[in-house]
Every structure is written in C-alpha cells, then in structure tokens.
Amino acid sequence: MENLDEILKFGKALAEKAGEEIKAAFLQEKKIETKAGCADLVTETDKKVECMIIDEIKKTYPHHQFIGEESVAGGLKCNLTDAPTWIVDPVDGTTNFVHRYPYVAVCLGFCVNKIPVLGVVYNAISGEMFAAIKGKGAFCNERKIQVSKETDLKKSLIMAEFGSARDPERLDFVLNNLRSIISTPVHSIHCMGSAALNICAVASGQAEAYVEFGIHCWDYCAASVILEEAGGLALDTTCTPLDLMARRILAACNMDIAQGLSSRLTHIELPRD
Ligand code: IPD
C-alpha cells in the first residue's frame, strides 16, 4: 500500500528542485534539438532534469517504475503496468522554454494499477504548484481550486494547441477543428503551449475546456488528477473515459461543456503511446 501523502510531499519537493534547474536555464542560450519533427523540440535542460527526477525517484522508491518523455524519446518502451509508476514530463512547454515564454511546467503523475492517483504540475517560472491526490481535492499553492460553473459553450474560453505535427493533412485537421470551435461561437480560443498548464487552467476555473489530439501520456497524466479533483472531467475527446495511452484529451469543467465541444470536433485515432 503506497502512502500517497508522503509521495505527494516528495513529488512537490522534487518538482521544486527540477524547477530550480529550469529557472536557472530559462534566460540562457539553449542547445536545441528536434525529435519527431521540426517543431518537436528538446533542450539539454529537458534531458538533465528528467535524469535528475528519475535518479531521485529510484533512490527514494526503488520499487517504483517510471515513464519519462525523454527516456521514451531515447528508446525506452512506454510500458504502463499495474506497478506503482511515475509518468514524468520534465519540461512541459519546451517550445515556450526555448522562447523564454513563462508558461513551462514540471509534470509528475503517479499511477497505481494503471490509474492516475496523484499529480503535481509546477510552473517553474510563476511558482504555481498545482497538486492533487485522488479523493482529496486539488490545490494551487495550498489554495483549494475549483472548475468554472459555466454550462453554455457560447460563453466559454477554450484552450487548444496546434501540437508539433506540421504535415498538411494534420494541419487541416487541427485548423478545421479550431474553426468549428470558434464559430460556435465561443468567447475565445487560447493556445498557450503547455498541455498540463492548460488543464490546470480549466481546473482553476480560468477556462472552461481544453482539447488536443496527438499529445502524450506525460503531458496529461498528472494534470488529469488535478482537474478531476477540482470537480472537472478528464475525458477522451468522444466524451468516453480517458485513455492514458490514446494521445487525446478533452478536459472540461462539466459534461454540458464537454458534450457541446465534442460534438463540434472531427476525431482521429493516433498511434498509441
Ligand atoms: C507539448 C506541449 C504542447 C502540446 C504538445 C506537447 P512538450 O509538450 O504540452 O502544449 O501542444 O502536444 O507535446 O513537448 O513541451 O513536453
């Protein structure tokens, strides 16, 4: 039996330590490489921070497993089992990090029996620490957070992203969905560059929903716990239960908003994580 209160304390301290590295490198020149495409970026800080996080987890919890964005990019299998498993994104919002745009987060999700039970999302630049344990509420810097009560999609602020794919077919798909959402009409669509912080914005009542196809489990695992604990819904884009490996999410403040948004989207299947 895992002691989730202890693990949360550990996770928050670890996120702060990772955040120090990110802050120290934030305004510096960065060594930038690309991964799956020209807009899928990685820096030496992403790699260094992930190594540090995984070393610390191994030292403190040798029986825990982990899935990390840069480890998977380096060839490790993305294998979620029933074992206690950390799902780590060292820098969510790498493009923001590269451009010194202060919307960058360390994400530490923790799953037991393949179910996300704890999440920490730390905006290293603003110092906002979002955290939740399943069944115990969601907090930002110890302040309880709650989703918006809006049920009218037309009065909603929607978060979305272009993602990192740049092939014409995929761009058509993304742009058609954005066009369909904005012409609802909604109040606006914001593309801020961090999936995890977008989900935390919905959890905090700052936006009504967020949708993206093509993200990865490390982008949404931690934040999905925070959203659900703030009273929101972390769903598949079709409004069915969230599939951590399906690479698509619809995060919403309630089912009216989720269904309204889902019905305006075209849905695609993606290669699984
Ligand atoms: C990315 C960000 C971005 C989203 C991409 C993600 P990364 O994560 O969350 O907002 O649109 O799909 O891959 O690469 O910065 O960790």
Side-chain angles (χ1 to χ4, degrees):
M1 189 67 175
E2 301 295 327
N3 181 335
L4 294 180
D5 290 311
E6 282 292 319
I7 293 174
L8 184 66
K9 210 166 136 202
F10 167 81
K12 283 159 98 176
L14 187 55
E16 270 171 359
K17 189 171 171 186
E20 289 306 316
E21 292 277 355
I22 293 169
K23 248 193 332 213
F26 191 62
L27 297 176
Q28 308 299 320
E29 280 305 310
K30 294 154 185 112
K31 215 172 111 209
I32 304 154
E33 293 169 58
T34 57
K35 296 189 283 186
C38 61
D40 188 8
L41 310 181
V42 61
T43 70
E44 72 266 53
T45 304
D46 297 61
K47 294 180 193 172
K48 186 175 169 197
V49 170
E50 180 157 320
C51 283
M52 185 279 283
I53 289 173
I54 286 167
D55 282 352
E56 293 289 328
I57 294 172
K58 279 183 180 165
K59 262 193 263 163
T60 312
Y61 298 106
H63 65 293
H64 287 181
Q65 306 296 306
F66 58 85
I67 292 171
E69 173 171 18
E70 307 316 332
S71 313
V72 172
L76 270 193
K77 273 200 87 176
C78 184
N79 188 19
L80 182 61
T81 65
D82 285 343
T85 303
W86 292 83
I87 301 191
V88 175
D89 189 343
V91 182
D92 185 53
T94 301
T95 304
N96 286 342
F97 178 65
V98 163
H99 291 272
R100 302 171 181 160
Y101 188 89
Y103 200 69
V104 170
V106 181
C107 303
L108 304 174
F110 184 67
C111 298
V112 178
N113 295 323
K114 300 194 185 80
I115 295 170
V117 291
L118 180 154
V120 173
V121 174
Y122 179 51
N123 181 334
I125 312 304
S126 72
E128 285 167 299
M129 173 76 76
F130 297 92
I133 293 176
K134 199 173 166 63
K136 294 193 172 180
F139 299 85
C140 176
N141 297 349
E142 315 304 332
R143 179 181 50 85
K144 206 170 184 337
I145 54 172
Q146 195 82 59
V147 290
S148 157
K149 292 187 170 44
E150 185 59 64
T151 54
D152 185 351
L153 191 59
K154 292 194 167 96
K155 294 182 184 150
S156 295
L157 174 60
I158 308 301
M159 316 286 288
E161 293 292 339
F162 290 97
S164 55
R166 293 290 178 268
D167 56 286
E169 258 177 45
R170 193 60 172 278
L171 286 179
D172 280 347
F173 166 77
V174 172
L175 292 169
N176 286 338
N177 272 344
L178 291 178
R179 187 186 171 83
S180 173
I181 298 168
I182 198 74
S183 58
T184 302
V186 294
H187 279 177
S188 193
I189 299 178
H190 285 191
C191 303
M192 301 291 285
S194 160
L197 289 174
N198 290 345
I199 299 168
C200 289
V202 179
S204 306
Q206 298 163 347
E208 275 63 39
Y210 159 64
V211 66
E212 190 174 346
F213 293 81
I215 54 172
H216 294 275
C217 56
W218 44 81
D219 297 315
Y220 59 100
C221 175
S224 70
V225 185
I226 294 164
L227 174 62
E228 295 254 331
E229 287 305 312
L233 298 168
L235 299 166
D236 180 69
T237 56
T238 54
C239 284
T240 52
L242 185 70
D243 179 339
L244 217 41
M245 297 297 146
R247 302 187 48 211
R248 44 193 221 173
I249 189 169
L250 196 168
C253 58
N254 56 52
M255 197 47 107
D256 289 332
I257 297 292
Q259 283 173 341
L261 188 57
S262 175
S263 70
R264 301 197 68 83
L265 302 172
T266 301
H267 303 261
I268 46 162
E269 298 281 338
L270 292 145
R272 294 175 66 76
D273 268 335

